[in-house]
Amino acid sequence: PKNITAAFLFSPMFQIEVGFVGQTGASLVAGIMGGVGYEESYAPGQKPYSAQSSYEENAVTNSRSRYEMRKQLYNRYTDLRVGGTTVAWLRESLNFTEYLRKTLSVYSTPVVVFQAGKDTLVGGAAQYRVCERLNARYCRLVKAGFENSKHEILNETDEIRSLALKKLEQYLDY
């Protein structure tokens, strides 16, 4: 923190979207599954990387060209491939994101949070609540212009990505 004057977070994972089971239900399922030896198994509803996955199924970008570029990288460099979450990853992430939401003292550096309006992987409401609790001095929530963005704002369509870079540059100049 002594050497860093600000942090810029794009779709930060302050809370994982876990659907109808909620945070408590997901924690309970992950805890039970991990406790009986399924820590390295995929969490319910998750699956391994598939080279056959289509652009239409993706949750991270509206840019077909950037999606296809990522797929080419995954085909060439198989170590980059990422599949669904494991039970252990889910459990640890649920615990840590709860800590991030509740322990405001971890934010000793002002943050700017860029929020993707169509993010189905992380919760926008949690991003809003964290920024609200930190107040405008320590957190600024930037969502105007990103209403149609999926999770990876910097891997989005040219229009969305350019706006994000322009806003980032404005904050850096400030």
Side-chain angles (χ1 to χ4, degrees), residues 92-107:
E92 293 301 317
S93 296
L94 289 166
N95 289 337
F96 190 69
T97 56
E98 181 179 15
Y99 171 78
L100 289 176
R101 291 190 308 274
K102 291 183 175 180
T103 314
L104 297 183
S105 61
V106 301
Y107 303 97

Side-chain angles (χ1 to χ4, degrees), residues 15-152:
Q15 184 168 332
I16 303 167
E17 280 296 338
V18 292
F20 69 93
V21 298
Q23 301 294 299
T24 303
S27 290
L28 182 63
V29 169
I32 291 170
M33 289 182 72
V36 295
Y38 288 97
E39 283 198 331
E40 299 307 314
S41 299
Y42 287 103
Q46 300 293 303
K47 56 187 177 186
Y49 171 80
S50 171
Q52 283 71 46
S53 63
S54 69
Y55 163 76
E56 289 75 21
E57 297 173 90
N58 98 85
V60 296
T61 184
N62 289 300
S63 172
R64 184 179 289 274
S65 61
R66 289 192 175 95
Y67 173 82
E68 294 298 333
M69 184 173 53
R70 174 193 311 235
K71 209 166 175 181
Q72 288 174 6
L73 284 170
Y74 284 2
N75 289 335
R76 185 169 180 186
Y77 304 102
T78 57
D79 288 350
L80 296 176
R81 293 179 179 176
V82 178
T85 62
T86 64
V87 170
W89 185 94
L90 177 62
R91 186 188 65 241
E92 293 301 317
S93 296
L94 289 166
N95 289 337
F96 190 69
T97 56
E98 181 179 15
Y99 171 78
L100 289 176
R101 291 190 308 274
K102 291 183 175 180
T103 314
L104 297 183
S105 61
V106 301
Y107 303 97
S108 58
T109 299
V111 295
V112 178
V113 173
F114 288 79
Q115 185 180 72
K118 302 281 186 193
D119 198 332
T120 60
L121 302 178
V122 300
Q127 295 165 357
Y128 175 79
R129 284 192 307 274
V130 167
C131 276
E132 185 178 57
R133 290 181 64 206
L134 287 172
N135 72 46
R137 182 172 173 223
Y138 283 103
C139 187
R140 294 196 181 182
L141 185 67
V142 180
K143 57 185 184 176
F146 304 109
E147 297 86 358
N148 294 318
S149 180
K150 291 185 179 180
H151 182 64
E152 294 182 357

